[in-house]
Amino acid sequence: MRCGSRSGANGVYSTFIFKDAFDVEVEHPIGRVSLIGRVDGLRRRGNVLADSMLSNNSNVVRVTAGVAIRLVSTLQLKTSAERYIFNDFADETAIHLGIAGPF
């Protein structure tokens, strides 16, 4: 399969892919409520297929703000909003609401 990243100085297509990521999260409890903030991301460098929607230099960053409310000792009501920031696509927003407990 021919790949679509830019060729090197010698005219040969690059044969590598490099991925790395980061994650930073802060949680602050206030009584039965916990405030949560998170920033994480993924970066991809290298060759892509010729028909890929990704560029050879793609990344996404997600910013999350959330609240967890303890209903009883092992049951929480959780809500959050996330903003996905892409360099190859339009940005997106997601909102979540759920009940969480142990298995």
Side-chain angles (χ1 to χ4, degrees):
M1 232 182 235
R2 185 172 175 189
C3 296
S5 72
R6 295 185 183 111
S7 60
N10 61 0
V12 176
Y13 283 96
S14 169
T15 58
F16 77 94
I17 295 173
F18 178 79
K19 295 180 188 177
D20 61 341
F22 69 93
D23 178 26
V24 177
E25 183 172 332
V26 177
E27 185 171 344
H28 183 69
I30 305 171
R32 293 180 25 210
V33 176
S34 289
L35 304 176
I36 303 160
R38 178 177 42 236
V39 178
D40 58 329
L42 175 65
R43 179 174 60 175
R44 181 190 185 284
R45 305 285 182 261
N47 212 358
V48 296
L49 296 174
D51 60 351
S52 175
M53 294 175 63
L54 297 174
S55 68
N56 62 350
N57 184 14
S58 297
N59 62 63
V60 58
V61 174
R62 176 176 59 177
V63 180
T64 305
V67 175
I69 302 167
R70 186 173 22 97
L71 302 174
V72 294
S73 65
T74 60
L75 198 59
Q76 293 181 333
L77 175 66
K78 291 185 170 185
T79 185
S80 65
E82 298 177 339
R83 182 70 175 167
Y84 293 84
I85 304 164
F86 298 96
N87 74 320
D88 289 336
F89 307 103
D91 296 348
E92 295 285 339
T93 300
I95 298 172
H96 306 277
L97 176 64
I99 295 179
F103 286 111

